[in-house]
Amino acid sequence: MPTVTLPPKENALFKRILRCYERKQYRNGLKFCKQILSNPRFAEHGETLAMKGLTLNCLGKKEEAYDLVRRGLRNDLKSHVCWHVYGLLQRSDKKYDEAIKCYRNALKWDKDNLQILRDLSLLQIQMRDLEGYRETRYQLLQLRPAQRASWIGYAIAYHLLEDYEMAAKILEEFRKTQQTSPDKVDYEYSELLLYQNQVLREAGLYKKALEHLTTYEKQICDKLAVEETKGELLLKLDRMEEATLVYRRLQERNPENWSYYHGLEKALKPANVEEKQKIYEEAWVKYPKGLVPRRLPLNFLSGEKFRECLDKYLRLNFSKGCPPVFTTLKSLYHDKEKVSIIEELVVGYETSLNNCRMFNPNDDGKEPPTTLLWVQYFLAQHFDQISQQSLALEYINAAIESTPTLIELFLVKAKIYKHAGNIKEAVKWMDEAQALDTADRFINSKCAKYMLKANMIKEAEEMCSKFTREGASAVENLNEMQCMWFQTECALAYKSMNKYGDALKKCHEIERHFVEITDDQFDFHTYCMRKMTLRSYVDLLKLEDVLRRHPFYFKAARTAIEIYLTLHDNPLTDEHKELEADTANLSDKELKKLRNKQRRAQKKAQLEEEKKNAEKEKQLKNQKKKKEDDDEEIGGPKEELIPDKLAKVENPLEEAIKFLTPLKNLVKNKIETHLLAFEIYFRKEKFLLMLQSMKRAFAIDPHHPWLHQCLVRFFKAVSENKDLPESVLTVLKQEMRRLFGETCAKSFNEAFLRKHSNSIPHRVAAAKMMYYLDSSTEKKAIELATALDESLNNRSVVISTDVLEGLCNGSLGDNKETAEMYRADCHKMYPHTLAFMPPGYEENMKITVNGDASAEPEEIGNDM
């Protein structure tokens, strides 16, 4: 049907509909739509029907809105308004590809419509269609050459396409049109200059960038950015004397910024360690209170020079009472020589301070009593770091005895118990710390995190509710605030309790947060160009491209994949069928007892459900009130995440792949990504994809114990599978020989064991595979895995717990006596670890939290 032109009266009403939509006066807009559509001549007017649909969509009436817009489009297929509205509708449902198609159709009928072009460009940058974005921005520039956003958008398109020189030319042409006085401070112009300089640097035009910075230095507001950029550019241009002056000025401005010292090092090019140390010695004289110039030399000094420098650094911190001193030295703990010097020095301080209140008997003047406290605090953390938890506890207990009101001491004590493998005791001490200052959100969060590690989910929720919105459930409020640390810990707690549905719900909630964060960038595409925050805008776009590289996403994805693998191996059975099978063997009396028990459980569940529903209704009412108060545009309703439905999914491996795909693209550098991929493809029997995962993991760490187990299983699967096509088998064997030098699983396992005979994790992996390949080797495999000789490396609570679990779950054979003997041996070595406590210990132990005793069972495997 051709486009119907409205007479002046109806046309005026239509313009008012557009104004009402722009001002979010949706109800008024609907009244004007009714006035036009009630006229029989215009009852099927396409553009009015489309606008009515768009307005209803903003009021949450999705289905009705789609019907009206489609009807309007059918009546007027050549109307740019109908196509534009249909695009807006698709955009509100996050169907960006469909929306782009609609906008392109709208442009066929009105190719120079500014609003459609702007909307199209927003979707193109959102979907990273950079070529399309450049073309659209070029059209906008031709139509509105006087507008600032037209130039900036076009330059950004070239910048993102990595055509830096073209982007720099466009920005320079635009800059020439800006008439600003050299003495006038204009923040937006300053941002433009800094962005222009960033483009020049990325293009590799360092000389030009430095000249640009020097020319416009007075007009740039961010003086610190100018100096830092100048320092970097001078280093790149090998103008070391000038760079030295710049970094010395920056040091005076902030002597605690480590990057300025590294810049100065590069500029001065010290020939040896002595010259390097001189740079810092000068800084000690110049900035006597500076901690960074005293800390940085510890990275490159060794022997007596290291001891001397460390002595000054520690004395300064301990006398001052600086709690994070251990954290600043933690990065040195990979060097055994430095660790022994640190221990020797600080233990010496502690002995001397106890005897004569001085760091050394030959010193002048006594130290304040708090110095000993901070030395003990440091030693507790030191011994915890080197896995000597019993010694660490002695020092922290001595410190608590002298100052029982210092929160930091209880935090460290809880951390020591956590590292010792006793999460219940850790929760007790963390709760003690939290009780000392209930207004501290950090300690509250820490306490909740420890509770989740101990599978005390309800207690953790109560703990967090002290800082969540009143009148709303703590869990829902934390989800609303995208509190992902809480949700990842919750997912791990539910997983260890075998509540897979609830764990998956948390993982999917985290996935939704990342989708929301991606969608939220939409608002910044216009805002940043208007406010000229261009450097931050480009950084935002680059961050969004690698968003799922974040540890929170990795943790959630890994948990979800592991659960889906478990569900694939052991699908959840229907409880009713199981009960029917069980009741068939019961007597009448037992059956009656069981029925009563079921009835009581049902009644309890019903009451809890009613309580939940009442809470939900209350929250929904509040939400509806909010929506009525401000009629804002809303997206489509999200599908509710139901734990049972998530746990009883039809194809768990396909669901696992959805979480795996972003990891394969963005977290390629982590071996776990490729090993999880292998586990999925192993179950799907995709041999070439298994090989691909193995090759990628092998390139990262060829000696990883988990990788070894995967390889052995892969070799065995290839040799046993008789249905493989000849071509695939040839490729597999050829690649296996080339990469691993072996295709026989047994000989590969023996070679691995010979190579890593001194490392416990590698011995355990080899022992598991020995038993997996041949169950008659059970005795030898157990001997290998349970060896705890002092000559063996990499012994830890985590690996010992893993061995005990292997002895109990059958992956190292079924021998309960050996398991009990191994537990007893480990208990002597790790007296605080819950997993190695004698049988019956857990039943006698209760955790008291805020006066309430809780005795929930827990899986110790999750608390490391």
Side-chain angles (χ1 to χ4, degrees), residues 235 240 244 247 251 258-271 275-277 279-280 296-297 299-300:
L235 284 176
M240 297 308 177
T244 304
Y247 280 110
Q251 262 186 1
W258 61 267
S259 63
Y260 300 160
Y261 293 92
H262 288 318
L264 194 60
E265 268 184 48
K266 285 175 192 171
L268 291 168
K269 289 185 175 175
E275 283 183 28
K276 208 174 181 181
Q277 193 180 350
I279 299 170
Y280 293 96
L296 289 176
N299 292 337
F300 58 83

Side-chain angles (χ1 to χ4, degrees), residues 324-575:
V325 63
F326 176 78
T327 313
T328 64
L329 295 176
K330 210 171 177 180
S331 59
L332 302 174
Y333 273 67
H334 62 85
D335 186 328
K336 286 183 180 177
E337 187 198 343
K338 288 182 179 181
V339 172
S340 62
I341 293 171
I342 292 170
E343 187 176 317
E344 200 182 309
L345 259 180
V346 186
V347 169
Y349 292 161
E350 201 257 350
T351 311
S352 187
L353 284 163
N354 266 322
N355 294 335
C356 56
R357 264 180 62 186
M358 287 185 284
F359 285 117
N360 193 300
N362 304 325
D363 288 353
D364 298 325
K366 293 195 174 184
E367 290 291 324
T370 52
T371 307
L372 176 62
L373 170 75
W374 294 117
V375 167
Q376 288 169 335
Y377 177 70
F378 180 94
L379 283 169
Q381 292 173 89
H382 164 80
F383 285 112
D384 180 36
Q385 181 70 23
I386 60 171
S387 302
Q388 293 185 27
Q389 274 82 23
S390 298
L391 256 176
L393 284 169
E394 282 178 30
Y395 282 109
I396 203 68
N397 287 335
I400 289 171
E401 207 176 306
S402 68
T403 316
T405 53
L406 188 64
I407 295 168
E408 281 87 348
L409 303 178
F410 294 97
L411 281 173
V412 166
K413 188 166 182 178
K415 201 179 278 185
I416 294 166
Y417 273 114
K418 184 187 85 166
H419 294 157
N422 193 336
I423 194 65
K424 293 194 173 183
E425 197 67 24
V427 169
K428 177 187 159 187
W429 289 105
M430 194 54 84
D431 189 54
E432 191 84 22
Q434 188 272 144
L436 289 172
D437 187 358
T438 52
D440 189 321
R441 190 194 288 260
F442 169 75
I443 296 167
N444 178 282
S445 301
K446 267 284 184 199
C447 190
K449 195 172 182 178
Y450 274 51
M451 285 171 170
L452 289 171
K453 284 181 184 294
N455 299 344
M456 299 163 66
I457 295 168
K458 277 187 182 175
E459 289 85 344
E461 286 170 13
E462 281 167 27
M463 186 62 67
C464 287
S465 67
K466 294 175 185 178
F467 287 93
T468 55
R469 194 175 63 237
E470 275 186 59
S473 136
V475 178
E476 280 178 29
N477 191 223
L478 289 165
N479 183 37
E480 199 182 302
M481 294 193 296
Q482 299 181 342
C483 185
M484 287 186 259
W485 68 262
F486 181 85
Q487 289 171 311
T488 48
E489 291 298 335
C490 251
L492 288 167
Y494 280 127
K495 181 185 161 224
S496 70
M497 293 160 77
N498 297 334
K499 293 184 176 180
Y500 298 130
D502 292 293
L504 286 171
K505 184 183 176 182
K506 294 293 169 198
C507 295
H508 281 279
E509 280 174 359
I510 292 165
E511 161 64 29
R512 282 185 178 181
H513 294 331
F514 280 89
V515 172
E516 277 169 32
I517 294 165
T518 306
D519 290 337
D520 286 347
Q521 71 179 302
F522 213 99
D523 304 323
F524 292 96
H525 299 315
T526 46
Y527 172 84
C528 292
M529 279 188 217
R530 198 171 69 247
K531 292 288 183 185
M532 292 295 279
T533 55
L534 304 175
R535 289 179 302 153
S536 304
Y537 175 55
V538 171
D539 287 346
L540 169 75
L541 295 179
K542 286 176 182 174
L543 168 72
E544 292 283 359
D545 290 340
V546 294
L547 189 65
R548 282 176 170 77
R549 200 178 277 171
H550 196 282
F552 281 148
Y553 184 81
F554 182 81
K555 208 171 179 181
R558 182 178 177 164
T559 307
I561 292 167
E562 285 170 351
I563 291 168
Y564 282 126
L565 291 171
T566 307
L567 291 173
H568 175 268
D569 298 342
N570 308 297
L572 294 182
T573 50
D574 195 339
E575 288 171 24

Side-chain angles (χ1 to χ4, degrees), residues 22 164 221 263 278 451 622 651 694 700 734 844:
E22 283 163 10
Y164 302 115
C221 303
K278 265 184 191 174
M451 285 171 170
N622 290 340
N651 197 334
M694 292 294 92
I700 296 168
Q734 191 182 316
N844 305 329

